[in-house]
Amino acid sequence: MRLLRRKIGLALVALAFAAAQASAQAVLTPGQMRDLAGQAVLQGQAGLAFDLTGALIARDDTDLDAHLIRSRAARNLGRNDDALTHARRSWSLADGEEARYAAALAMAQALSSSGRRTAAQLWLRRAIQIAPDEAHKARATEDFRYVRRQNPWSTALRFSVTPSSNINNGSRNETSELFGLPFEFALEGEARALSGVEISGGLSTRYRIIDSARKRTDLLFGASHRTYVLSDEAQELAPDADGADFATSSVFLGVQEDYALPGGRARLGWDARLGRTWYGGDPLLTYTRIGGNYRRATANNGMLSLSVNHEGQAGEGTREDATIWSAHLGYGLSLASGNTISVSTSFVRSESDADFLDYTQRAVSARYGLGSPIGPAQLDFGLTLSEKRHDRSSLTTNGRDERSIEARVTAAFPEMDFYGFIPTVTLSAERTHANIDLYETENFGIQVGIRSAF
């Protein structure tokens, strides 16, 4: 029935145009031609719409609707350069929210058809920003998600500013017992917790070279940098220190693959990376990492994940080499209320000739996210408990033991959406108890950042 209606519609459009051409007395007004062109493109008569709008534009190059229809018709005909030309002209002519929204969509569609999907996503963000109402915004958001799925490139940018009470992971104590001696040593300078502001940014991107129902293969690249500005109090505690002394930078290249397992609910994958890290501006280490992972969707909107990794670190300068094994098991669940909950546990074993790099660490984490905002904020709560054991320590004969607890609350503000990005604020508190006072730490921080709303 639908096919029959479509054929009838095509026939009516064709007959109307033929009748208009055949009758010497029947002269279509610009409005009638515009309406007929719009119907033609909707009914699959892209060539007819292209010809009609060509006549309209020859008559008046400022005819916005004609450029919009011609861009759509050109795209349907595979004439992507023409589609982009008329979409750009539409944008230059657009005045008002609805017109600018329509022109932004036309630009995104033309760019996507030309294979420029990253640029199309930027135009869809613009369309979302200027959408005249929620219905138009929802349509552009859905288009964005579709283009993102089709785009072999996926890039994420990160930026945050974090005031912190302990940027250097220094001791919260003023003195410490060392070497088993029956008196305490005063802790000074960088051994103490230094307060300040952390400024960090990063980029990660992947390019999908294989995307099929069974297999996905991605090339990976990432870079990040984190530096600090010391507070006046920290400068008094450590007058020779500078925030850049604690700066870290890293870069990596990698490849990852995953495979759909029979049944369609599970995927099995692997990844490998080669990276380098700098500390205080000097090379710290080069690493190679390889790992495997397994993910399975459960019947109750849950996701089970398991990963195992091996990392080899080649130290630079005086830093020792290390071999690190790690494993992670997690389960996440979407509740009927829209809230989300997840729990995970992890294990790390590092082996090295250096005392501080030879350890075993275990951790458990829980997270609870609210599906609906409370006031202007959408809240997410997290808690992590961990213990770390160093069999050897140069400061004591009993090794080194640490127990840590960290709590985090993140507030996202969806009503402050700007081009599809929303601000976030994270409050965090962390405390570490240790059998050596030097390693007892405490840190309170407020992190301000941004993230994509979709």
Side-chain angles (χ1 to χ4, degrees), residues 7-258:
K7 289 182 177 180
I8 292 173
L10 293 173
L12 289 174
V13 171
L15 286 171
F17 184 64
Q21 287 184 317
S23 175
Q25 295 180 345
V27 178
L28 293 177
T29 67
Q32 290 172 328
M33 291 180 66
R34 203 175 292 115
D35 290 342
L36 186 59
Q39 287 296 319
V41 79
L42 290 175
Q43 296 290 343
Q45 293 285 327
L48 175 56
F50 191 84
D51 293 338
L52 285 169
T53 52
L56 287 168
I57 292 169
R59 170 186 170 276
D60 179 9
D61 187 51
T62 64
D63 190 330
L64 171 62
D65 289 340
H67 282 289
L68 287 170
I69 297 170
R70 192 172 175 85
S71 178
R72 170 71 178 274
R75 186 168 65 92
N76 291 353
L77 292 169
R79 301 175 63 162
N80 294 326
D81 289 343
D82 287 333
L84 274 170
T85 297
H86 291 286
R88 290 193 185 99
R89 182 59 175 153
S90 299
W91 178 255
S92 68
L93 293 170
D95 185 17
E97 283 186 345
E98 290 193 12
R100 288 169 63 82
Y101 172 83
L105 281 185
M107 279 293 300
Q109 292 164 352
L111 287 165
S112 181
S113 295
S114 300
R116 297 166 59 183
R117 294 187 174 90
T118 300
Q121 288 177 244
L122 295 176
W123 276 96
L124 284 167
R125 286 191 179 274
R126 178 174 283 181
I128 292 166
Q129 179 65 22
I130 60 181
D133 54 47
E134 289 302 315
H136 286 81
K137 184 176 181 178
R139 178 199 165 178
T141 301
E142 185 58 34
D143 286 353
F144 179 91
R145 292 186 174 120
Y146 173 79
V147 173
R148 181 174 58 191
R149 289 193 297 269
Q150 302 300 313
N151 192 356
W153 285 103
S154 178
T155 300
L157 300 173
R158 301 179 303 280
F159 177 78
S160 65
V161 177
T162 311
S164 171
S165 64
N166 191 352
I167 66 171
N168 63 324
N169 202 34
S171 175
R172 62 186 175 89
N173 299 307
E174 296 182 3
T175 61
S176 175
E177 292 184 0
L178 300 176
F179 312 110
L181 298 175
F183 54 85
E184 294 186 337
F185 292 84
L187 299 179
E188 299 178 349
E190 295 178 20
R192 297 277 303 279
L194 303 179
S195 60
V197 178
E198 174 189 305
I199 303 171
S200 64
L203 173 149
S204 60
T205 187
R206 64 102 170 126
Y207 182 76
R208 182 152 291 169
I209 56 178
I210 298 176
D211 189 4
S212 67
R214 178 180 173 273
K215 176 183 176 182
R216 297 185 301 215
T217 304
D218 300 328
L219 300 180
L220 308 173
F221 171 78
S224 64
H225 179 69
R226 181 173 61 214
T227 191
Y228 303 91
V229 178
L230 294 177
S231 67
D232 293 339
E233 181 184 1
Q235 291 284 7
E236 291 179 4
L237 285 172
D240 295 330
D242 184 84
D245 296 339
F246 312 105
T248 57
S249 304
S250 63
V251 64
F252 74 85
L253 293 169
V255 60
Q256 67 180 16
E257 282 191 337
D258 70 0

Side-chain angles (χ1 to χ4, degrees), residues 255-259 267-273 289-295 305-311 325-329:
V255 60
Q256 67 180 16
E257 282 191 337
D258 70 0
Y259 304 85
R267 301 192 74 92
L268 184 65
W270 66 271
D271 66 272
R273 296 187 182 190
R289 182 187 304 162
I290 187 166
N293 60 81
Y294 172 81
R295 301 187 307 279
S305 62
L306 170 66
S307 64
V308 178
N309 292 281
H310 173 270
E311 181 175 309
W325 285 94
S326 62
H328 180 272
L329 175 65

Side-chain angles (χ1 to χ4, degrees), residues 231-353:
S231 67
D232 293 339
E233 181 184 1
Q235 291 284 7
E236 291 179 4
L237 285 172
D240 295 330
D242 184 84
D245 296 339
F246 312 105
T248 57
S249 304
S250 63
V251 64
F252 74 85
L253 293 169
V255 60
Q256 67 180 16
E257 282 191 337
D258 70 0
Y259 304 85
L261 299 181
R265 302 186 68 87
R267 301 192 74 92
L268 184 65
W270 66 271
D271 66 272
R273 296 187 182 190
L274 171 64
R276 197 174 196 197
T277 301
W278 293 258
Y279 181 76
D282 297 322
L284 180 67
L285 59 89
T286 299
Y287 69 87
T288 56
R289 182 187 304 162
I290 187 166
N293 60 81
Y294 172 81
R295 301 187 307 279
R296 182 176 182 83
T298 60
N300 55 349
N301 295 321
M303 178 66 71
L304 176 71
S305 62
L306 170 66
S307 64
V308 178
N309 292 281
H310 173 270
E311 181 175 309
Q313 296 181 351
E316 302 274 358
T318 59
R319 184 181 174 92
E320 297 285 349
D321 297 346
T323 300
I324 301 174
W325 285 94
S326 62
H328 180 272
L329 175 65
Y331 181 73
L333 181 65
S334 296
L335 306 177
S337 62
N339 299 345
T340 58
I341 185 171
S342 63
V343 292
S344 64
T345 182
S346 62
F347 173 84
V348 178
R349 175 60 187 169
S350 175
E351 297 178 350
S352 172
D353 290 334

